[in-house]
Amino acid sequence: MNYPINLHKKMNPSVHNKDFDRRKVHNFRHVTQFVRISREMLWNVITNVNNMAASALTVNADTESDDEEGAGTQELDNNIGGSDLELSELDSESDDDIPLADIIPLAGLVDRGGGDAGHAHNDRRWTADLKPIRVKDFEDIAGPTTALDAEKKELDFFHLIFPESLYDKLAQQTNTYAAKRIREKADSSWQATSPTEIKTFLGIVIFMSLLDLPTAKMYWSSDWMFQTSLPTIMTRLRFEKLAQYFHLNDSTTNPPKGSDGHDKLHHVRPVLDTIQGTIASQYTLHQDCAIDEAMIAYKGRLSFKQYMPAKPVKFGIKVWERADSTNGYVNKLQIYTGRAGNEQGKREVGLAARVVTDLTRDIVGSSRHVYVDNFFSSPQLFSDLLKDGLYACGTCRINRKGFPSGISKENVKKKGDFTMLQSGNLVASVWFDNKPVTFLSTNADPTTLHEVRRKNKDGSERVQLAPSVVKMYGDNMNAVDRADQLRMQYTCARKCYKWWKYVFFFLLDTALVNSFILMKESPSHQRKTRTGRVKHLTQLEFRERLCKQLIGDTRSVRKRRRVIQHDVAGLSYSHMPVKVKVNRCRQCGKVKIRKESSFGCRQCGVNLCVLCFEPFHKDLVPVTQEE
């Protein structure tokens, strides 16, 4: 029996007689030592029992051979291996008399990170005789699937990911939710919204992402230092009311928690389903893509809020993403709402493999290369992906089931050292960078080496040879990180109390980044300088033009008014009807009647119907004049 490398050098028979001090078990270092020594003791017991069972079966086989030669049934007095267990007892039909090694495969009780225990679960054999692997060529045509003419603008690309039908949906749900809340508590400041106003509202949100101020009120500040154009587009009160009643879905249609059909993401379901469909259909991935997790920052109370101390965003909602390694385009995403239960009510098993499987179902058989980190990687998953026509590459933990015991961090001692083992297309390797790093791949040729640039402690660079998997992983694994960088560069997220609004802002940012990439790669929208160099579109330029196009002509409709007093003690010549530019009648507007007139009062500066002229001037209430 071969021991794994990490235990083979540490085996010490004297440890079995150590008297543990239970008071020190609570110390983490002592707990680690206790677990390691316990595993070694268990491994020795397993080895002894297996040896006993093997000796017993050998003697039993010899005895049966003698009986066939006519010796007959004989009582044997010798014991097996010096134990008190007689051979006659092994022939009994009772389960208690069957060797323990025959009832339970004891060698499989301890996961040795691959090695012999791994072979008990599959027929995979690892060898140091490295041979070239076979990788099929990628044949799909990558890039945007919808070609837009050169006359199309940023808004048209945005509508490829965020369809115009969503404006109608958001306006309808916002009005429904506002009516429900107003029935509970009256609000005279609210007026029903429209798809056009929702479109303007989103344009203002995108504008706020470009010009970041501490509070929303400061965008409507009268201070000359903080003045913006928003007061001429929408009043602060109207923006706050739209933000207050903004809604995506009717929560009354969601079954109660704990019942069948309850959807934890019901609040954002219409927008989530729509964007999931458009981001997948509007772009064809290149050969290399990566799967990783992203975080939506949120610190409130939520059942599926996650804590990831190693991430820049430590608290929030986890999102699994598949992104293109060439540009960071997010082609598929899945919001994590906690471990899913099965029909028997048990908790989900194999989360990492399930996530990768779900996010790769639509690219099966495409010969794409999927890059993952050590949270997802395992020999079994990579083998399953290879059967589905997908290649995989990633860092891997050495304690994964099926990982070869011959690959260990103890195999490499200094920078640049590496060791590789192969099982068909599956290659396991360890390489010493600043510390040992283990890899697993089905697309990296183990017979080729590549030069990689690494930094020393003093800041200088060094060039050294490394397995091809090192360069491939470093070049393609950062796809999701690149998407996060683009999304967080000008994020639309604003402080709010509802968790689902943070998810909506995340989806809006994802739609903005993806539509920016679509326009950047559009053949009809390539720009060049006077010298002929390619002038790339920046995300700042894209968002700046997009928010203007979303707001549209709303700026010309919103006008400031000032209240002025009129002396109506006696009608003078200046208060007589005159021909003016066509506009709404002010007197009809008081009774909510929409009429337009080409006549008005020059002194008052308002449009009036001929019949409304006298009642308007008899009203002593101050009137307003357009600037």
Side-chain angles (χ1 to χ4, degrees):
M1 184 66 65
N2 295 326
Y3 293 100
I5 295 175
N6 60 340
L7 292 180
H8 184 69
K9 296 182 179 180
K10 297 181 181 181
M11 289 296 294
N12 186 359
S14 63
V15 298
H16 308 306
N17 301 325
K18 286 186 177 180
D19 186 12
F20 295 109
D21 187 351
R22 296 183 180 274
R23 292 173 298 178
K24 296 182 179 180
V25 171
H26 294 286
N27 186 294
F28 177 79
R29 192 169 63 183
H30 290 277
V31 171
T32 305
Q33 182 182 10
F34 177 81
V35 172
R36 185 179 70 250
I37 295 174
S38 299
R39 292 176 60 186
E40 294 171 355
M41 294 172 61
L42 178 59
W43 188 255
N44 286 338
V45 172
I46 292 172
T47 304
N48 293 334
V49 173
N50 282 336
N51 292 337
M52 292 170 55
S55 301
L57 294 177
T58 303
V59 175
N60 189 21
D62 295 339
T63 305
E64 291 179 354
S65 176
D66 294 339
D67 292 343
E68 292 176 357
E69 294 176 1
T73 304
Q74 300 178 359
E75 294 290 338
L76 297 180
D77 295 332
N78 8 356
N79 295 336
I80 305 172
S83 68
D84 295 332
L85 185 63
E86 294 187 355
L87 182 61
S88 58
E89 295 176 348
L90 295 177
D91 296 333
S92 172
E93 297 295 333
S94 173
D95 288 342
D96 295 336
D97 297 330
I98 298 178
L100 186 60
D102 293 346
I103 299 177
I104 303 176
L106 293 178
L109 290 177
V110 181
D111 187 1
R112 311 298 291 180
D116 297 331
H119 296 317
H121 300 280
N122 52 67
D123 296 332
R124 190 177 296 114
R125 292 293 184 270
W126 297 92
T127 177
D129 184 15
L130 304 179
K131 298 180 180 179
I133 61 173
R134 285 190 283 178
V135 178
K136 293 183 179 180
D137 294 334
F138 176 74
E139 299 178 352
D140 289 353
I141 300 176
T145 59
T146 302
L148 296 183
D149 299 333
E151 294 78 14
K152 299 299 181 181
K153 299 181 179 180
E154 288 77 5
L155 184 61
D156 299 297
F157 286 93
F158 178 67
H159 285 159
L160 292 177
I161 306 297
F162 198 95
E164 294 185 81
S165 60
L166 285 179
Y167 301 137
D168 299 327
K169 179 70 175 179
L170 299 182
Q172 175 190 353
Q173 292 299 326
T174 299
N175 289 330
T176 302
Y177 179 70
K180 174 186 174 183
R181 293 295 303 272
I182 291 174
R183 286 195 297 268
E184 300 172 357
K185 184 179 179 180
D187 187 354
S188 59
S189 302
W190 171 255
Q191 293 180 352
T193 186
S194 64
T196 303
E197 191 175 33
I198 292 294
K199 188 176 178 180
T200 302
F201 174 77
L202 295 180
I204 294 176
V205 171
I206 298 174
F207 168 80
M208 290 179 173
S209 71
L210 301 178
L211 185 62
D212 191 17
L213 293 178
T215 62
K217 291 182 179 180
M218 294 186 68
Y219 290 97
W220 284 267
S221 174
S222 59
D223 191 330
W224 63 270
M225 183 174 290
F226 301 104
Q227 283 182 352
T228 66
S229 58
L230 291 189
T232 63
I233 300 172
M234 183 181 291
T235 64
R236 178 172 62 86
L237 178 61
R238 184 56 179 171
F239 180 83
E240 290 176 346
K241 288 300 174 181
L242 286 174
Q244 176 183 352
Y245 296 114
F246 186 72
H247 224 63
L248 309 182
N249 202 6
D250 187 2
S251 58
T252 60
T253 60
N254 189 25
K257 293 182 179 180
S259 60
D260 295 338
H262 176 73
D263 185 9
K264 293 183 179 180
L265 300 174
H266 179 81
H267 286 289
V268 295
R269 182 57 64 185
V271 178
L272 177 61
D273 289 345
T274 301
I275 292 183
Q276 280 181 326
T278 54
I279 62 177
S281 61
Q282 291 298 329
Y283 195 86
T284 302
L285 290 177
H286 289 81
Q287 173 183 277
D288 301 310
C289 61
I291 294 177
D292 204 353
E293 70 270 359
M295 290 288 285
I296 304 174
Y298 180 70
K299 291 187 177 181
R301 301 178 64 178
L302 186 63
S303 61
F304 50 89
K305 181 181 67 175
Q306 300 292 310
Y307 172 62
M308 302 186 69
K311 290 287 184 179
V313 179
K314 293 177 172 52
F315 292 93
I317 302 169
K318 185 185 292 186
V319 183
W320 310 111
E321 291 184 342
R322 186 187 71 196
D324 195 308
S325 298
T326 304
N327 48 34
Y329 183 96
V330 177
N331 184 255
K332 198 174 184 66
L333 59 87
Q334 183 181 95
I335 299 178
Y336 180 60
T337 58
R339 289 182 177 269
N342 52 27
E343 298 178 355
Q344 290 75 26
K346 298 180 181 180
R347 300 184 70 184
E348 181 181 15
V349 178
L351 170 65
R354 193 269 301 167
V355 169
V356 175
T357 302
D358 290 348
L359 295 181
T360 56
R361 289 306 87 192
D362 58 331
I363 58 173
V364 168
S366 62
S367 298
R368 283 186 171 87
H369 299 197
V370 181
Y371 293 83
V372 295
D373 60 18
N374 59 17
F375 176 79
F376 303 96
S377 300
S378 69
Q380 186 60 48
L381 173 63
F382 282 22
S383 297
D384 293 340
L385 291 176
L386 190 60
K387 293 178 183 178
D388 292 336
L390 298 173
Y391 300 96
C393 175
T395 55
C396 188
R397 302 171 185 175
I398 61 175
N399 61 350
R400 291 293 191 190
K401 183 184 295 184
F403 196 83
S405 60
I407 296 296
S408 172
K409 295 181 179 180
E410 296 184 359
N411 295 133
V412 289
K413 299 297 183 181
K414 58 182 181 179
K415 293 184 178 181
D417 290 351
F418 60 87
T419 303
M420 289 186 286
L421 292 178
Q422 183 178 4
S423 177
N425 258 48
L426 194 61
V427 179
S429 57
V430 58
W431 176 66
F432 198 107
D433 187 16
N434 294 323
K435 62 180 181 180
V437 184
T438 52
F439 294 92
L440 195 66
S441 67
T442 57
N443 62 342
D445 191 350
T447 62
T448 60
L449 301 178
H450 289 273
E451 290 185 350
V452 293
R453 293 183 177 272
R454 312 304 298 171
K455 283 189 177 182
N456 298 318
K457 292 183 179 180
D458 57 358
S460 60
E461 288 189 350
R462 70 180 188 275
V463 178
Q464 62 185 42
L465 290 177
S468 58
V469 65
V470 176
K471 182 173 176 56
M472 295 174 66
Y473 181 82
D475 292 344
N476 300 292
M477 183 55 208
N478 62 345
V480 175
D481 294 336
R482 188 174 182 179
D484 288 344
Q485 184 181 20
L486 291 171
R487 178 172 54 85
M488 296 301 295
Q489 188 175 10
Y490 307 104
T491 179
C492 294
R494 307 295 301 180
K495 185 177 181 180
C496 49
Y497 294 103
K498 302 294 185 180
W499 65 266
W500 58 265
K501 289 187 178 180
Y502 287 95
V503 178
F504 171 76
F505 289 136
F506 168 82
L507 295 174
L508 178 60
D509 282 328
T510 301
L512 289 169
V513 171
N514 282 359
S515 56
F516 159 67
I517 295 174
L518 290 180
M519 186 172 189
K520 187 178 180 181
E521 296 191 2
S522 174
S524 304
H525 294 77
Q526 300 301 314
R527 303 180 301 174
K528 292 186 178 181
T529 62
R530 294 179 179 179
T531 58
R533 293 185 304 170
V534 177
K535 185 178 180 181
H536 296 290
L537 177 69
T538 65
Q539 188 178 187
L540 178 60
E541 294 175 333
F542 178 84
R543 293 203 180 202
E544 180 183 353
R545 297 169 186 169
L546 177 61
C547 67
K548 291 180 180 179
Q549 295 165 14
L550 285 170
I551 294 171
D553 298 331
T554 307
R555 187 176 186 276
S556 62
V557 176
R558 174 71 175 96
K559 292 182 179 180
R560 286 185 177 272
R561 297 175 178 177
R562 69 173 183 263
V563 177
I564 60 174
Q565 297 286 345
H566 298 291
D567 181 12
V568 291
L571 292 178
S572 63
Y573 176 80
S574 61
H575 283 280
M576 299 303 293
V578 294
K579 196 80 171 177
V580 294
K581 185 178 179 180
V582 177
N583 208 336
R584 296 183 186 179
C585 174
R586 181 63 58 81
Q587 184 67 17
C588 293
K590 293 181 180 180
V591 292
K592 297 184 179 181
I593 298 177
R594 181 189 177 104
K595 284 188 177 181
E596 295 184 348
S597 175
S598 60
F599 292 93
C601 178
R602 179 183 300 169
Q603 180 68 27
C604 300
V606 295
N607 284 55
L608 294 168
C609 299
V610 175
L611 298 179
C612 294
F613 189 86
E614 182 178 357
F616 176 80
H617 286 89
K618 285 185 177 181
D619 193 349
L620 299 180
V621 178
V623 297
T624 59
Q625 180 179 10
E626 298 284 351
E627 284 184 344

